Amino acid sequence: QVQLVESGGGLVQAGGPLRLSCAFSGGLFARYVMGWFRQAPGNQRELVARITSGGSTDYADSVKDRFSISRDNSKSTVYLQMNSLNSEDTAVYYCNARSVDYWRDGFDYWGQGTQVHVSS
């Protein structure tokens, strides 16, 4: 069973940086597209960024040029470097792992979430 454990959330001042980490275990990391999602109070969960095992990335328009997703396949870890944070980035951030064969095997996993609060 795949497990995802996020870390790195917390309180940060507007304009500052923060880096989230997500440790993956219980499966073959290279077989998963890794993503970061976030959910603010009263809002739906939304995609922030995702990365394939080959390093191709995709970002939400709201975080392009500020956030950077990366993965270390040797450590089975995915990172989200967040810069120039603003109050609209305040949310619970969730790590996601979706199998490259999701439409066949249905493997899709979530971490427990880590809170990010940006103070203005």
Side-chain angles (χ1 to χ4, degrees):
Q1 179 78 359
V2 168
Q3 291 189 323
L4 304 172
V5 179
E6 300 107 332
S7 61
L11 177 65
V12 61
Q13 287 191 333
L18 200 63
R19 190 176 85 152
L20 305 181
S21 301
C22 172
F24 172 105
S25 63
L28 187 57
F29 188 60
R31 296 289 297 168
Y32 288 83
V33 177
M34 300 300 298
W36 286 97
F37 288 71
R38 66 186 181 187
Q39 187 168 18
N43 290 357
Q44 290 188 336
R45 192 173 297 189
E46 62 176 1
L47 173 69
V48 176
R50 57 189 166 201
I51 184 169
T52 69
S53 59
S56 297
T57 58
D58 187 26
Y59 294 92
D61 287 343
S62 60
V63 306
K64 278 181 182 177
D65 301 323
R66 298 189 299 124
F67 290 11
S68 178
I69 188 171
S70 60
R71 64 191 289 164
D72 186 334
N73 290 331
S74 69
K75 296 181 178 179
S76 297
T77 300
V78 62
Y79 304 97
L80 184 69
Q81 177 65 45
M82 304 184 291
N83 297 322
S84 302
L85 286 161
N86 59 61
S87 59
E88 293 184 350
D89 298 315
T90 294
V92 178
Y93 284 70
Y94 295 91
C95 182
N96 173 259
R98 175 167 285 196
S99 167
V100 296
D101 294 322
Y102 172 75
W103 301 111
R104 179 176 60 84
D105 58 31
F107 292 159
D108 189 64
Y109 302 96
W110 294 91
Q112 80 285 356
T114 186
Q115 176 73 53
V116 172
H117 185 86
V118 183
S119 63
S120 55

